[in-house]
Structures are given as C-alpha cells and as structure tokens.
Amino acid sequence: MKRTLLLLACGIAAGAAPADEVLVGKFERARELLIDDFEVDSYSNWIVEGDAFGDGPAAGTLPNQQDVSGYRGRRLVNSYRSGDVTTGSLTSPEFEVRRPFIAFLIGGGRHEGQTGIELRIGGKAVRTATGHDSEELEWSSWDVTEFKGQTATLRIFDSATGGWGHINVDHIVQSDVAPKRFDLEHRLAEYRKSPDYLNEPHRLQYHFSPEVNWMNDPNGLVYHNGEYHLFYQFNPAGIIWGHMSWGHAVSRDLLHWEHLPLAIPEEDGIMAFSGCCVVDHHNSSGFGTTENPPMVAVYTGHGHDKQVQNLAYSTDNGRTWTKYADNPVLDLNERDFRDPNVFWHEPTQRWVMVVSLANEKILILYGSNDLKQWTELSRFGPAGVKDKPNWECPDLFELPVENENSRRLWVLEVDMGNGAIAGGSGGEYFVGHFDGTRFEAIQDSRWVDFGRDFYAPVSWKNIPESDGRHLWIGWFNNWETCLLPTSPWRSEMSIPRALTLRRIGDADEYIMVQRPVDELKSLRGSRLQIAPMSLTDSQKPVFATLAGNSYELQLELTPTAAASGVRVCVGDGEFTEIGYDRARSAVYVDRTLSGNTDFDARFSGRHEAPVPLSDEKVALRILVDRSSVEVFIDDGRAAISDRIFPSQTSTGIELFARDGSATFSDMKAWPLRSVWHDR
Ligand code: FRU
C-alpha cells in the first residue's frame, strides 16, 4: 500500500472550494482539495445504507474494538458499529475529478470486494482499495489522471461479517502529488509537542527507539568522524511493518541518540531492506574522494518479486544519501536473497560480503575491489540448528579470545525468523576460521541470546583501533510477538554490547561473551549497596522502588534452593522473576506474571540459559528499563533479553528463595539516568 503526501485541509465538502497552497516538505508546494475529513458527527450528504456505519463518523475506537490509530483529527469512518457482524455502505455526493491523485487513510479488514473503498464513474467501480487487517490507518492513493474532468462518487463498503469484517477510512483528498512521506513529518511535528515526548510509561529510557512508527533490524552500523551511526528498518507510514526504509540516528557515546531524517527511502515500489554501511577509505567506489571518503550503504532492494543488492552513498557524514545509478550490484533473480554485510579484509586487500539465500539457509560470500563488481568466493550452509525455516541478517567478524594474548578467531552470526531457543525469532553463531575466501566452523553453533527479544544483531564497522572493541546491537523484539503494546512508536534496540570470545574448559571450545558497553556507567546515579543475606523459603523486598524502573542491579548468588534469585518490577500481583533453577542448572527469566501479557498469547513464559555453577555461585548483572530486562550472566557468558509490560506502579525489587535457601552477596544497584530527559 502506498503512502501519500498529506496536505493541510483547506476545502470543504466534495472538492467545491478552491484549494490553498500549502508547504508539503522542505521545498515542495502543492495544492489539494478536501473531499471529506469526517470531523462532524453526521455524514451530511453521504448516503448511508445498512447499520455498520451508524449515523455519523465515530469518535475513534468503538466498544470492544482494538485501539484505532492513525486517523486525522477526532473522527473517522468506522464500520465496527456493534462489532464485525454489521454490514452497510456509505456513498458520497458526486464530485469532479480535478487532481491526478485521490488519497485517503484506510485501515480495518483486508477482504477484497467486501471491506473497502471504491471510486465509481459511469456506474462502475474504477478504483478500489481494502484495509490491511490492522486498526492502524495508513495512507493509500489512486492515480486518477485518466479520469480528470469526469464526475465520480466514492463508496465505502462493508459486507463482511467475520473476523476483521469492518473498514476504517478518514481524510479523503484530491491531490496534485504522488504519495510521499509527508505524513511522517506531520506526525513528528505533532509528537514533538506531546507532553509525553519520549516519556510514555513503556518508553525505554536508556535504549534507542524511534520517536514514532515501526522499527525492526539495526542496519548500517558504522563509526565515522566521531559519530556512531545507527540506521534501522523503519516504516515512515505507520506503526506496523511496511514501506521499509532506513531510519537514522547518531550518537557520540552509544547512549544519547540524535534522531535524524529518513536516510534511504522506499522508492518506486522497492523497499530498502536490511544491510550495512562501510567507510570507503581508499575511495575504491569512486563515490567520494580520498580526502573525504564516502560512506557506502549496501542494502537489499525488495520489490517486483525479487531481492537484489543495492548501493547508496553519502559524502556528508550520512546526512544525505544518493542511490547508485547502476543498482543493483547483485541480482540472482531470487526472491529471498538478502541482508548483505560487507567488511574490508586487510590480508587480501578486498571487500568481502556475506549475504543470505534466506530460505535455502545458504550464505554466499563475495569479494570485490570497488563495492560494485562482486565475485562469488564460497558458500556456507545449510548448517547449525536443524529444521529452522530460514537464515537472515548474517554478520562475520573476528574477535579476540579473552586472556590468550593475541589469539583471534572468527565468528559467523546468523538469525532465524522462527524456531529459536526461546520461541519465535533468534540468532545462532559459529566460531571458526576465515581465510579471506571461506569460513570454516570449528564447533557446533550456539545460541546468541536465551531470551525472546534479541534479533538480527549486527556489529559496528570502522571502530578506531585505539578503541579496539567489537560492538553490536540487536533488535529488542521478536517477530512472533512483535506487536508490542506501545504507541506512537513500536520497538527499540538492545543495549549496545561489546563482544569477545572465552574458552570454556580445556578443549578448543569457545563461547561469545556479551557485555553492556562501559559507557553505560556514565548514566549511573548514586550507588545503592545491599548487605549480604541468606533466605530460606521466603522473599524479602530490598527496594520498594527504584528510579522509575530504569536501573542496573548486580549480585552474586549461591543458589542451594530449588529456585532463587531476584524479582523486579514487583507490584500488585505482578513481578518478573530472574532466578537460578537448580534442577535444570539454568538461569531463567519468567515473565508469566510480568504485567500485560495478553496482547499476544505467545508472549507470556519463561526463558532459560543453561549455566553450570562455578564455585557454587552465579553472578547476575541485570538491566531494567521500564519495559525490558537484559540479564548478563557470569560476566557475559550468556544473556537473556526480554521485554515486559508491567504497570507503572510495579517498581519493587525483592530477593527470593523457594524450596531451600540461597545466599546473596556483592549486591549493588544504580539508578540509570534517562538519555532523553537528563542530558
Ligand atoms: C529480518 C528481516 C530481514 C529483512 C528485514 C525487512 O528481521 O526479515 O531479513 O531485510 O527484516 O524489514
């Protein structure tokens, strides 16, 4: 479905009044005619049939309906009167087609021919549109150039009676301009005035989120001229997945992010799917100069029934982007060929790309001298966890082994859209060798994160040698339960993490260690120390409340009880339990009673990471941020990342031991300052 520019309403009913000229973006002016904005409580001269539409436009959501959003002003057409069972239609007065486009907001059921809106000319429907099984209205439009000067009517209809048997429509205009992302600017401008700006009850306070709309995978992570860039899969048109484009933010400390305008938009029916960004220091691509090396984004173009690899470049620190005129640079005529990840391989002096034939679970490695011409080097897979549906978003990088001088090994990380350890989507990684041509695993794959909400992580490129860390970030969500109960934005990123490898036991066996970046310490308020204690079959509050539920907690646990640990976000009947399960030798996060879990039947549950005790102890480092927990176990040897949606009043913290006793020591906590409101 397409987006359109939305211009300020100016005319009155049925295109009668002259249009005002309005500014629709930085440099464009356009004129539009309002057909109807449905802002009054009657349908005026529209003809109403049946009972689905009631007597007039609805003032928003109707009884028993999921939240309706994305409409303009206070009212909209909503055929959910008395639920989905009712049927009917609305027919507009006649009007003359005077602009090349008719644009409108539409939501509700996707039942072609049964729930929708049509343009009628000469007794026939000549254009039609339907909803998208979502209560969020999105822009849609028709090119009606060929009907200019003709008399038309609009008919909004609902003859469906089952699930999603209703239609929502609002703000119908005749417009001069093709669909664009004007509405995002309007939405942002409105949102920036909101008293809740970046401060809604579930808005994470020290993790990245877009101001408004839908986000998924991190893309194009790169450090350049003092800034960490974070691009991300973003829908400029709404709060569900669609119209994928690259959103953009920059930071100097990986924590305080400045939201920037859209970097790479969907265009001509081709979405900008996931990919990476490199700094082309030698200007091998010719897109910049050696004095001002270009940033080059390599991303998947998705559209017209296939996925190809494209380039875009920037010579102004990522502020503006140009799509390469000779795109695509890789086209196998494949429908599922995506998520290129490119790095400079110093020993062979060339660019290497790893990209996924997603449904075949095959990664192809390519080499290039100029980022434009690519030659296949080798293939990897299928491998790893068996029988899982696909592989997406690969990343290939070298990591140091902790405490082994300069020993380094390669890691190949890849994500599966479903069937991961905690259910739904998640990642696995292989440790091995890469010789510039071929990756070879030296051990079985392992899970990246044992929670449900850490997906498609990719690492930052071009981190200065003087820093030397290997950093990444993941999407703090799960495709299976991705429609989190937040608005006007949806989804956030994990805390940025620094990676290393750690040898386990004496064998040649390694795990990837993830630790929150040290910068996080700069957000700490004053330290709260908790005296060591033992508990037997009991629980004990340690703080009634802690800084609006954005904090860090560390403790060492000797878990002799069947289960013991800490509960966070404790309130009336609510808590999220983080504990050690002795029988299963595992650390777990149980979010069954964490708060709102009803928005998806698969959300509630418990997720565990197998962790053998060392010296009868386990160390937990827990990050809580309003609607999230990230647990780092034994200095990063395993992580569990989960979203939770507690009540605002559930701010307690308590220790517990069940069926036996447990000792808690080395307990510290710090409130963490908001990166949005406490600069
Ligand atoms: C993974 C993914 C990618 C794709 C992107 C589209 O989450 O499916 O494979 O590029 O999302 O938004």
Side-chain angles (χ1 to χ4, degrees), residues 114-231:
Q114 291 187 58
T115 53
I117 178 170
E118 62 194 18
L119 178 72
R120 300 185 66 86
I121 292 182
K124 275 202 329 244
V126 294
R127 292 284 183 277
T128 175
T130 183
H132 40 275
D133 288 353
S134 158
E135 297 296 9
E136 184 178 43
L137 281 74
E138 277 191 24
W139 283 105
S140 185
S141 68
W142 301 308
D143 184 337
V144 293
T145 319
E146 63 184 284
F147 306 118
K148 220 158 171 192
Q150 300 193 37
T151 300
T153 55
L154 288 164
R155 187 168 160 272
I156 304 173
F157 52 92
D158 170 7
S159 62
T161 53
W164 286 109
H166 65 277
I167 187 76
N168 306 330
V169 173
D170 197 17
H171 211 96
I172 311 174
V173 294
Q174 298 205 51
S175 166
D176 271 334
V177 275
K180 260 189 123 187
R181 56 176 199 277
F182 177 76
D183 190 56
L184 177 62
E185 284 158 31
H186 173 86
R187 213 177 163 137
L188 277 170
E190 289 296 303
Y191 178 58
R192 285 174 182 159
K193 290 185 253 166
S194 152
D196 273 351
Y197 180 68
L198 299 176
N199 202 15
E200 299 86 352
H202 294 311
R203 175 79 76 167
L204 303 191
Q205 292 300 296
Y206 58 91
H207 291 76
F208 178 77
S209 54
E211 294 161 285
V212 297
N213 289 15
W214 168 271
M215 172 178 82
N216 55 286
D217 314 351
N219 296 151
L221 306 182
V222 66
Y223 180 84
H224 187 43
N225 291 339
E227 293 176 324
Y228 294 95
H229 290 261
L230 166 58
F231 300 89

Side-chain angles (χ1 to χ4, degrees), residues 216-217 233 241 244 273-274 338-339 392-393 455-456 479:
N216 55 286
D217 314 351
Q233 288 286 283
W241 187 91
M244 297 325 292
F273 267 24
S274 286
R338 62 177 176 272
D339 307 338
E392 315 179 307
C393 303
Y455 195 64
W479 277 116

Side-chain angles (χ1 to χ4, degrees), residues 55-113:
D55 297 334
T61 308
L62 290 169
N64 301 322
Q65 189 175 24
Q66 290 176 43
D67 260 10
V68 177
S69 60
Y71 55 97
R72 275 279 172 117
R74 289 173 305 110
R75 290 176 184 275
L76 76 155
V77 172
N78 182 344
S79 75
Y80 195 74
R81 303 275 166 174
S82 310
D84 281 324
V85 291
T86 49
T87 60
S89 72
L90 275 182
T91 306
S92 78
E94 290 187 337
F95 62 94
E96 184 193 328
V97 178
R98 285 160 54 186
R99 293 281 181 275
F101 295 94
I102 292 180
F104 44 87
L105 285 162
I106 187 165
R110 188 205 310 258
H111 296 286
E112 278 179 27

